[in-house]
Amino acid sequence: MRPGLDEYFLKIACVVAERSTCRRHNVGALAVRDKHILTTGYNGAPAGLKDCLELGCLREELGIPSGTRHEICRAIHAEQNVIIQAALHGVNLEGATIYCTHTPCNLCAKMLVNARIKRFVSFGKYNDISFQDLFREAGIEMAILPRPPMQIGTLD
């Protein structure tokens, strides 16, 4: 069967997550408007800098629980990279839907509110639910869907 749009874009977010250089969570995200992908992003070290695959995970070494002390992490979150890529390439995210493999942390949620997205779709839950109140107050629609099947279907 042909996947619906939400499943289709969530599958693409999973492929984007394969580029992640985080040892804890491989997160992928994309911004979509009018059925077109605007930008993508994954979590990892700033461009050109050493990443956790090379250096090891400082948060892991210090025993810092997921969802806390984000400033210790050397990675930029996938949602942040979606916004950064949009800024670098002159792409307006207003009214876009963000598809992401995980729900956002509080900081990413605030950035997405300011980017004026209209919808956020995910299947994975990050260890921080404070985004829900922010999104509700900002009028951002949220959808937490089942994880899409990872096999690729063709009509051969």
Side-chain angles (χ1 to χ4, degrees):
M1 276 186 57
R2 185 176 186 212
L5 289 174
D6 285 340
E7 182 179 313
Y8 170 69
F9 288 123
L10 282 175
K11 278 185 165 185
I12 293 171
C14 290
V15 172
V16 172
E18 290 181 348
R19 292 283 303 153
S20 170
T21 59
C22 178
R23 295 166 67 111
R24 286 181 156 194
H25 299 288
N26 296 111
V27 182
L30 52 143
V32 174
R33 188 173 48 238
D34 299 326
K35 301 180 189 177
H36 291 89
I37 297 171
L38 304 173
T39 61
T40 65
Y42 53 86
N43 57 329
L49 301 185
K50 292 182 180 179
D51 58 49
C52 296
L53 296 178
E54 192 175 347
L55 297 174
C57 177
L58 185 57
R59 292 171 54 85
E60 211 169 67
E61 291 169 19
L62 297 174
I64 297 170
S66 182
T68 64
R69 304 288 316 271
H70 299 288
E71 75 279 6
I72 301 295
C73 182
R74 64 177 55 91
I76 297 169
H77 289 187
E79 305 94 322
Q80 294 169 350
N81 271 323
V82 162
I83 294 168
I84 291 165
Q85 289 303 310
L88 286 171
H89 299 286
V91 175
N92 182 356
L93 295 180
E94 187 170 1
T97 297
I98 302 298
Y99 290 90
C100 191
T101 58
H102 292 66
T103 55
C105 70
N106 185 271
L107 181 60
C108 287
K110 290 187 275 188
M111 291 179 184
L112 292 169
V113 167
N114 269 7
R116 298 184 181 156
I117 67 161
K118 72 172 183 178
R119 188 168 179 246
F120 188 94
V121 181
S122 184
F123 61 83
K125 294 183 180 173
Y126 186 60
N127 197 15
D128 182 352
I129 61 167
S130 60
F131 77 94
Q132 293 174 349
D133 291 334
L134 284 167
F135 280 5
R136 209 174 349 268
E137 186 178 346
I140 296 172
E141 180 188 338
M142 298 174 274
I144 309 300
L145 304 176
R147 183 183 185 105
M150 289 297 98
Q151 70 272 12
I152 303 298
T154 61
L155 299 175
D156 290 14

